[in-house]
PDB file of all heavy atoms in Angstrom:
ATOM      1  N   PHE A 199     -25.841  21.949 -57.599  1.00 98.00           N
ATOM      2  CA  PHE A 199     -27.041  22.582 -57.096  1.00 98.00           C
ATOM      3  C   PHE A 199     -28.005  21.470 -56.593  1.00 98.00           C
ATOM      4  O   PHE A 199     -28.318  20.507 -57.242  1.00 98.00           O
ATOM      5  CB  PHE A 199     -27.671  23.360 -58.127  1.00 98.00           C
ATOM      6  CG  PHE A 199     -28.656  24.375 -57.634  1.00 98.00           C
ATOM      7  CD1 PHE A 199     -28.337  25.573 -57.100  1.00 98.00           C
ATOM      8  CD2 PHE A 199     -29.992  24.008 -57.663  1.00 98.00           C
ATOM      9  CE1 PHE A 199     -29.207  26.546 -56.606  1.00 98.00           C
ATOM     10  CE2 PHE A 199     -30.948  24.835 -57.096  1.00 98.00           C
ATOM     11  CZ  PHE A 199     -30.612  26.074 -56.622  1.00 98.00           C
ATOM     12  N   GLY A 200     -28.352  21.606 -55.331  1.00 98.00           N
ATOM     13  CA  GLY A 200     -29.274  20.582 -54.672  1.00 98.00           C
ATOM     14  C   GLY A 200     -28.648  19.514 -53.963  1.00 98.00           C
ATOM     15  O   GLY A 200     -29.279  18.717 -53.330  1.00 98.00           O
ATOM     16  N   ALA A 201     -27.326  19.349 -54.085  1.00 98.00           N
ATOM     17  CA  ALA A 201     -26.573  18.256 -53.396  1.00 98.00           C
ATOM     18  C   ALA A 201     -26.538  18.595 -51.913  1.00 98.00           C
ATOM     19  O   ALA A 201     -26.655  19.741 -51.467  1.00 98.00           O
ATOM     20  CB  ALA A 201     -25.210  18.107 -54.004  1.00 98.00           C
ATOM     21  N   GLU A 202     -26.313  17.471 -51.098  1.00 98.00           N
ATOM     22  CA  GLU A 202     -26.341  17.758 -49.645  1.00 98.00           C
ATOM     23  C   GLU A 202     -25.054  17.119 -49.060  1.00 98.00           C
ATOM     24  O   GLU A 202     -24.590  16.076 -49.541  1.00 98.00           O
ATOM     25  CB  GLU A 202     -27.539  17.170 -48.987  1.00 98.00           C
ATOM     26  CG  GLU A 202     -28.812  17.991 -49.367  1.00 98.00           C
ATOM     27  CD  GLU A 202     -29.981  17.499 -48.628  1.00 98.00           C
ATOM     28  OE1 GLU A 202     -29.878  16.779 -47.633  1.00 98.00           O
ATOM     29  OE2 GLU A 202     -31.048  18.032 -48.954  1.00 98.00           O
ATOM     30  N   TYR A 203     -24.588  17.763 -47.959  1.00 98.00           N
ATOM     31  CA  TYR A 203     -23.471  17.234 -47.169  1.00 98.00           C
ATOM     32  C   TYR A 203     -23.821  17.545 -45.733  1.00 98.00           C
ATOM     33  O   TYR A 203     -24.153  18.662 -45.434  1.00 98.00           O
ATOM     34  CB  TYR A 203     -22.281  18.061 -47.570  1.00 98.00           C
ATOM     35  CG  TYR A 203     -20.997  17.588 -46.878  1.00 98.00           C
ATOM     36  CD1 TYR A 203     -20.136  16.649 -47.465  1.00 98.00           C
ATOM     37  CD2 TYR A 203     -20.642  18.120 -45.633  1.00 98.00           C
ATOM     38  CE1 TYR A 203     -19.085  16.254 -46.711  1.00 98.00           C
ATOM     39  CE2 TYR A 203     -19.616  17.742 -44.945  1.00 98.00           C
ATOM     40  CZ  TYR A 203     -18.670  16.794 -45.466  1.00 98.00           C
ATOM     41  OH  TYR A 203     -17.473  16.436 -44.807  1.00 98.00           O
ATOM     42  N   ALA A 204     -23.924  16.396 -44.886  1.00 98.00           N
ATOM     43  CA  ALA A 204     -24.319  16.594 -43.494  1.00 98.00           C
ATOM     44  C   ALA A 204     -25.615  17.445 -43.373  1.00 98.00           C
ATOM     45  O   ALA A 204     -25.663  18.316 -42.573  1.00 98.00           O
ATOM     46  CB  ALA A 204     -23.179  17.225 -42.701  1.00 98.00           C
ATOM     47  N   ASN A 205     -26.514  17.068 -44.123  1.00 98.00           N
ATOM     48  CA  ASN A 205     -27.887  17.745 -44.092  1.00 98.00           C
ATOM     49  C   ASN A 205     -27.847  19.203 -44.491  1.00 98.00           C
ATOM     50  O   ASN A 205     -28.880  19.935 -44.145  1.00 98.00           O
ATOM     51  CB  ASN A 205     -28.544  17.502 -42.799  1.00 98.00           C
ATOM     52  CG  ASN A 205     -28.944  16.029 -42.548  1.00 98.00           C
ATOM     53  OD1 ASN A 205     -29.344  15.317 -43.478  1.00 98.00           O
ATOM     54  ND2 ASN A 205     -28.529  15.607 -41.354  1.00 98.00           N
ATOM     55  N   GLN A 206     -26.804  19.680 -45.099  1.00 98.00           N
ATOM     56  CA  GLN A 206     -26.769  21.079 -45.524  1.00 98.00           C
ATOM     57  C   GLN A 206     -26.668  20.997 -47.005  1.00 98.00           C
ATOM     58  O   GLN A 206     -25.943  20.189 -47.631  1.00 98.00           O
ATOM     59  CB  GLN A 206     -25.623  21.835 -44.874  1.00 98.00           C
ATOM     60  CG  GLN A 206     -25.907  22.230 -43.445  1.00 98.00           C
ATOM     61  CD  GLN A 206     -24.740  23.049 -42.991  1.00 98.00           C
ATOM     62  OE1 GLN A 206     -23.614  22.485 -42.840  1.00 98.00           O
ATOM     63  NE2 GLN A 206     -24.919  24.290 -42.819  1.00 98.00           N
ATOM     64  N   LYS A 207     -27.342  22.082 -47.654  1.00 98.00           N
ATOM     65  CA  LYS A 207     -27.240  22.072 -49.127  1.00 98.00           C
ATOM     66  C   LYS A 207     -25.994  22.776 -49.688  1.00 98.00           C
ATOM     67  O   LYS A 207     -25.457  23.674 -49.091  1.00 98.00           O
ATOM     68  CB  LYS A 207     -28.490  22.825 -49.677  1.00 98.00           C
ATOM     69  CG  LYS A 207     -29.749  21.933 -49.654  1.00 98.00           C
ATOM     70  CD  LYS A 207     -30.693  22.235 -50.748  1.00 98.00           C
ATOM     71  CE  LYS A 207     -31.573  21.081 -51.019  1.00 98.00           C
ATOM     72  NZ  LYS A 207     -32.460  20.802 -49.931  1.00 98.00           N
ATOM     73  N   SER A 208     -25.572  22.282 -50.876  1.00 98.00           N
ATOM     74  CA  SER A 208     -24.483  23.073 -51.593  1.00 98.00           C
ATOM     75  C   SER A 208     -25.027  24.411 -51.673  1.00 98.00           C
ATOM     76  O   SER A 208     -26.145  24.755 -52.026  1.00 98.00           O
ATOM     77  CB  SER A 208     -24.317  22.441 -52.980  1.00 98.00           C
ATOM     78  OG  SER A 208     -23.496  23.086 -53.739  1.00 98.00           O
ATOM     79  N   GLY A 209     -24.001  25.382 -51.484  1.00 98.00           N
ATOM     80  CA  GLY A 209     -24.461  26.796 -51.438  1.00 98.00           C
ATOM     81  C   GLY A 209     -24.206  27.299 -50.004  1.00 98.00           C
ATOM     82  O   GLY A 209     -24.025  28.545 -49.820  1.00 98.00           O
ATOM     83  N   SER A 210     -24.221  26.349 -49.058  1.00 98.00           N
ATOM     84  CA  SER A 210     -23.975  26.838 -47.664  1.00 98.00           C
ATOM     85  C   SER A 210     -22.879  25.916 -47.082  1.00 98.00           C
ATOM     86  O   SER A 210     -22.776  25.824 -45.844  1.00 98.00           O
ATOM     87  CB  SER A 210     -25.220  26.695 -46.793  1.00 98.00           C
ATOM     88  OG  SER A 210     -25.769  25.408 -46.771  1.00 98.00           O
ATOM     89  N   LEU A 211     -22.084  25.236 -47.915  1.00 98.00           N
ATOM     90  CA  LEU A 211     -21.060  24.380 -47.523  1.00 98.00           C
ATOM     91  C   LEU A 211     -19.678  25.106 -47.405  1.00 98.00           C
ATOM     92  O   LEU A 211     -18.765  24.617 -46.652  1.00 98.00           O
ATOM     93  CB  LEU A 211     -21.061  23.075 -48.338  1.00 98.00           C
ATOM     94  CG  LEU A 211     -22.226  22.298 -48.484  1.00 98.00           C
ATOM     95  CD1 LEU A 211     -22.014  21.189 -49.492  1.00 98.00           C
ATOM     96  CD2 LEU A 211     -22.687  21.713 -47.127  1.00 98.00           C
ATOM     97  N   ALA A 212     -19.546  26.011 -48.233  1.00 98.00           N
ATOM     98  CA  ALA A 212     -18.277  26.795 -48.287  1.00 98.00           C
ATOM     99  C   ALA A 212     -18.378  28.223 -47.921  1.00 98.00           C
ATOM    100  O   ALA A 212     -19.510  28.738 -47.742  1.00 98.00           O
ATOM    101  CB  ALA A 212     -17.678  26.530 -49.780  1.00 98.00           C
ATOM    102  N   ASP A 213     -17.241  28.864 -47.845  1.00 98.00           N
ATOM    103  CA  ASP A 213     -17.428  30.435 -47.713  1.00 98.00           C
ATOM    104  C   ASP A 213     -18.207  31.112 -48.826  1.00 98.00           C
ATOM    105  O   ASP A 213     -18.991  31.971 -48.625  1.00 98.00           O
ATOM    106  CB  ASP A 213     -15.991  31.116 -47.529  1.00 98.00           C
ATOM    107  CG  ASP A 213     -15.194  30.555 -46.446  1.00 98.00           C
ATOM    108  OD1 ASP A 213     -15.725  30.407 -45.355  1.00 98.00           O
ATOM    109  OD2 ASP A 213     -13.960  30.241 -46.667  1.00 98.00           O
ATOM    110  N   ILE A 214     -17.859  30.718 -50.018  1.00 98.00           N
ATOM    111  CA  ILE A 214     -18.408  31.152 -51.216  1.00 98.00           C
ATOM    112  C   ILE A 214     -18.686  29.957 -52.128  1.00 98.00           C
ATOM    113  O   ILE A 214     -17.923  29.044 -52.230  1.00 98.00           O
ATOM    114  CB  ILE A 214     -17.380  32.056 -52.029  1.00 98.00           C
ATOM    115  CG1 ILE A 214     -16.761  33.077 -51.247  1.00 98.00           C
ATOM    116  CG2 ILE A 214     -18.099  32.675 -53.309  1.00 98.00           C
ATOM    117  CD1 ILE A 214     -17.387  34.357 -50.932  1.00 98.00           C
ATOM    118  N   THR A 215     -19.883  29.972 -52.862  1.00 98.00           N
ATOM    119  CA  THR A 215     -20.154  28.813 -53.666  1.00 98.00           C
ATOM    120  C   THR A 215     -20.669  29.467 -55.058  1.00 98.00           C
ATOM    121  O   THR A 215     -21.431  30.371 -55.031  1.00 98.00           O
ATOM    122  CB  THR A 215     -21.320  27.986 -53.133  1.00 98.00           C
ATOM    123  OG1 THR A 215     -21.000  27.585 -51.888  1.00 98.00           O
ATOM    124  CG2 THR A 215     -21.682  26.831 -54.046  1.00 98.00           C
ATOM    125  N   CYS A 216     -20.043  28.930 -56.159  1.00 98.00           N
ATOM    126  CA  CYS A 216     -20.495  29.502 -57.388  1.00 98.00           C
ATOM    127  C   CYS A 216     -21.171  28.362 -58.197  1.00 98.00           C
ATOM    128  O   CYS A 216     -20.632  27.246 -58.409  1.00 98.00           O
ATOM    129  CB  CYS A 216     -19.239  30.030 -58.166  1.00 98.00           C
ATOM    130  SG  CYS A 216     -19.632  31.179 -59.344  1.00 98.00           S
ATOM    131  N   PHE A 217     -22.394  28.651 -58.595  1.00 99.00           N
ATOM    132  CA  PHE A 217     -23.281  27.838 -59.406  1.00 99.00           C
ATOM    133  C   PHE A 217     -23.108  28.195 -60.843  1.00 99.00           C
ATOM    134  O   PHE A 217     -22.985  29.373 -61.207  1.00 99.00           O
ATOM    135  CB  PHE A 217     -24.638  27.710 -58.985  1.00 99.00           C
ATOM    136  CG  PHE A 217     -24.905  27.175 -57.600  1.00 99.00           C
ATOM    137  CD1 PHE A 217     -25.405  27.927 -56.601  1.00 99.00           C
ATOM    138  CD2 PHE A 217     -24.588  25.791 -57.395  1.00 99.00           C
ATOM    139  CE1 PHE A 217     -25.588  27.413 -55.393  1.00 99.00           C
ATOM    140  CE2 PHE A 217     -24.750  25.296 -56.072  1.00 99.00           C
ATOM    141  CZ  PHE A 217     -25.337  26.118 -55.062  1.00 99.00           C
ATOM    142  N   SER A 218     -23.340  27.189 -61.771  1.00 98.00           N
ATOM    143  CA  SER A 218     -23.524  27.458 -63.216  1.00 98.00           C
ATOM    144  C   SER A 218     -24.899  27.053 -63.658  1.00 98.00           C
ATOM    145  O   SER A 218     -25.382  25.897 -63.254  1.00 98.00           O
ATOM    146  CB  SER A 218     -22.416  26.665 -64.021  1.00 98.00           C
ATOM    147  OG  SER A 218     -22.883  26.751 -65.383  1.00 98.00           O
ATOM    148  N   PHE A 219     -25.523  27.861 -64.411  1.00 98.00           N
ATOM    149  CA  PHE A 219     -26.839  27.598 -64.949  1.00 98.00           C
ATOM    150  C   PHE A 219     -26.795  27.476 -66.513  1.00 98.00           C
ATOM    151  O   PHE A 219     -27.731  27.854 -67.220  1.00 98.00           O
ATOM    152  CB  PHE A 219     -27.900  28.609 -64.536  1.00 98.00           C
ATOM    153  CG  PHE A 219     -27.983  28.776 -63.029  1.00 98.00           C
ATOM    154  CD1 PHE A 219     -28.085  30.009 -62.420  1.00 98.00           C
ATOM    155  CD2 PHE A 219     -28.015  27.653 -62.162  1.00 98.00           C
ATOM    156  CE1 PHE A 219     -28.134  30.191 -61.067  1.00 98.00           C
ATOM    157  CE2 PHE A 219     -28.049  27.833 -60.758  1.00 98.00           C
ATOM    158  CZ  PHE A 219     -28.254  29.117 -60.211  1.00 98.00           C
ATOM    159  N   HIS A 220     -25.616  26.997 -66.991  1.00 98.00           N
ATOM    160  CA  HIS A 220     -25.379  26.778 -68.411  1.00 98.00           C
ATOM    161  C   HIS A 220     -26.393  25.721 -68.920  1.00 98.00           C
ATOM    162  O   HIS A 220     -26.935  24.916 -68.119  1.00 98.00           O
ATOM    163  CB  HIS A 220     -23.979  26.285 -68.604  1.00 98.00           C
ATOM    164  CG  HIS A 220     -23.625  25.853 -69.967  1.00 98.00           C
ATOM    165  ND1 HIS A 220     -23.819  24.557 -70.455  1.00 98.00           N
ATOM    166  CD2 HIS A 220     -23.128  26.590 -71.007  1.00 98.00           C
ATOM    167  CE1 HIS A 220     -23.429  24.549 -71.684  1.00 98.00           C
ATOM    168  NE2 HIS A 220     -23.055  25.782 -72.022  1.00 98.00           N
ATOM    169  N   ALA A 221     -26.695  25.755 -70.139  1.00 97.00           N
ATOM    170  CA  ALA A 221     -27.682  24.887 -70.755  1.00 97.00           C
ATOM    171  C   ALA A 221     -27.636  23.446 -70.385  1.00 97.00           C
ATOM    172  O   ALA A 221     -28.704  22.770 -70.300  1.00 97.00           O
ATOM    173  CB  ALA A 221     -27.714  25.006 -72.248  1.00 97.00           C
ATOM    174  N   VAL A 222     -26.503  22.862 -70.088  1.00 97.00           N
ATOM    175  CA  VAL A 222     -26.373  21.417 -69.811  1.00 97.00           C
ATOM    176  C   VAL A 222     -26.413  21.110 -68.409  1.00 97.00           C
ATOM    177  O   VAL A 222     -26.354  19.933 -67.942  1.00 97.00           O
ATOM    178  CB  VAL A 222     -25.136  20.813 -70.495  1.00 97.00           C
ATOM    179  CG1 VAL A 222     -25.045  20.930 -72.010  1.00 97.00           C
ATOM    180  CG2 VAL A 222     -23.811  21.296 -69.865  1.00 97.00           C
ATOM    181  N   LYS A 223     -26.489  22.136 -67.490  1.00 97.00           N
ATOM    182  CA  LYS A 223     -26.427  21.826 -66.163  1.00 97.00           C
ATOM    183  C   LYS A 223     -27.802  21.512 -65.593  1.00 97.00           C
ATOM    184  O   LYS A 223     -28.792  21.682 -66.216  1.00 97.00           O
ATOM    185  CB  LYS A 223     -25.866  23.136 -65.340  1.00 97.00           C
ATOM    186  CG  LYS A 223     -24.482  23.552 -65.778  1.00 97.00           C
ATOM    187  CD  LYS A 223     -23.465  22.481 -65.596  1.00 97.00           C
ATOM    188  CE  LYS A 223     -22.011  22.733 -65.783  1.00 97.00           C
ATOM    189  NZ  LYS A 223     -21.375  23.536 -66.641  1.00 97.00           N
ATOM    190  N   ASN A 224     -27.840  20.915 -64.324  1.00 97.00           N
ATOM    191  CA  ASN A 224     -29.064  20.396 -63.683  1.00 97.00           C
ATOM    192  C   ASN A 224     -30.149  21.450 -63.748  1.00 97.00           C
ATOM    193  O   ASN A 224     -31.359  21.150 -63.956  1.00 97.00           O
ATOM    194  CB  ASN A 224     -28.833  20.049 -62.220  1.00 97.00           C
ATOM    195  CG  ASN A 224     -28.435  18.652 -62.084  1.00 97.00           C
ATOM    196  OD1 ASN A 224     -27.976  18.052 -62.964  1.00 97.00           O
ATOM    197  ND2 ASN A 224     -28.557  18.116 -60.897  1.00 97.00           N
ATOM    198  N   LEU A 225     -29.822  22.689 -63.354  1.00 97.00           N
ATOM    199  CA  LEU A 225     -30.733  23.792 -63.376  1.00 97.00           C
ATOM    200  C   LEU A 225     -30.218  24.821 -64.342  1.00 97.00           C
ATOM    201  O   LEU A 225     -29.110  25.241 -64.205  1.00 97.00           O
ATOM    202  CB  LEU A 225     -30.890  24.327 -61.960  1.00 97.00           C
ATOM    203  CG  LEU A 225     -32.001  25.432 -61.719  1.00 97.00           C
ATOM    204  CD1 LEU A 225     -32.351  25.402 -60.264  1.00 97.00           C
ATOM    205  CD2 LEU A 225     -31.727  26.813 -62.156  1.00 97.00           C
ATOM    206  N   THR A 226     -30.970  25.210 -65.374  1.00 97.00           N
ATOM    207  CA  THR A 226     -30.489  26.065 -66.377  1.00 97.00           C
ATOM    208  C   THR A 226     -31.233  27.417 -66.563  1.00 97.00           C
ATOM    209  O   THR A 226     -32.424  27.422 -66.199  1.00 97.00           O
ATOM    210  CB  THR A 226     -30.341  25.358 -67.760  1.00 97.00           C
ATOM    211  OG1 THR A 226     -29.731  26.224 -68.698  1.00 97.00           O
ATOM    212  CG2 THR A 226     -31.749  25.002 -68.289  1.00 97.00           C
ATOM    213  N   THR A 227     -30.526  28.433 -66.989  1.00 98.00           N
ATOM    214  CA  THR A 227     -31.176  29.642 -67.452  1.00 98.00           C
ATOM    215  C   THR A 227     -30.605  29.915 -68.843  1.00 98.00           C
ATOM    216  O   THR A 227     -30.518  31.082 -69.168  1.00 98.00           O
ATOM    217  CB  THR A 227     -30.806  30.807 -66.456  1.00 98.00           C
ATOM    218  OG1 THR A 227     -29.407  30.993 -66.471  1.00 98.00           O
ATOM    219  CG2 THR A 227     -31.302  30.565 -65.093  1.00 98.00           C
ATOM    220  N   ALA A 228     -30.305  28.950 -69.634  1.00 98.00           N
ATOM    221  CA  ALA A 228     -29.608  29.068 -70.941  1.00 98.00           C
ATOM    222  C   ALA A 228     -28.148  29.255 -70.689  1.00 98.00           C
ATOM    223  O   ALA A 228     -27.338  28.415 -70.969  1.00 98.00           O
ATOM    224  CB  ALA A 228     -30.154  30.033 -71.888  1.00 98.00           C
ATOM    225  N   GLU A 229     -27.768  30.390 -70.224  1.00 98.00           N
ATOM    226  CA  GLU A 229     -26.419  30.821 -69.657  1.00 98.00           C
ATOM    227  C   GLU A 229     -26.687  31.488 -68.350  1.00 98.00           C
ATOM    228  O   GLU A 229     -27.705  32.197 -68.298  1.00 98.00           O
ATOM    229  CB  GLU A 229     -25.667  31.692 -70.598  1.00 98.00           C
ATOM    230  CG  GLU A 229     -25.228  31.094 -71.975  1.00 98.00           C
ATOM    231  CD  GLU A 229     -23.953  30.192 -71.887  1.00 98.00           C
ATOM    232  OE1 GLU A 229     -23.456  30.023 -70.803  1.00 98.00           O
ATOM    233  OE2 GLU A 229     -23.667  29.656 -72.932  1.00 98.00           O
TER     234      GLU A 229
END
Side-chain angles (χ1 to χ4, degrees):
F199 193 83
E202 290 187 12
Y203 180 94
N205 296 317
Q206 282 181 294
K207 284 215 158 61
S208 178
S210 60
L211 304 175
D213 297 315
I214 312 275
T215 305
C216 203
F217 293 117
S218 169
F219 303 137
H220 176 270
V222 301
K223 302 299 188 330
N224 271 20
L225 191 155
T226 186
T227 59
E229 292 280 0

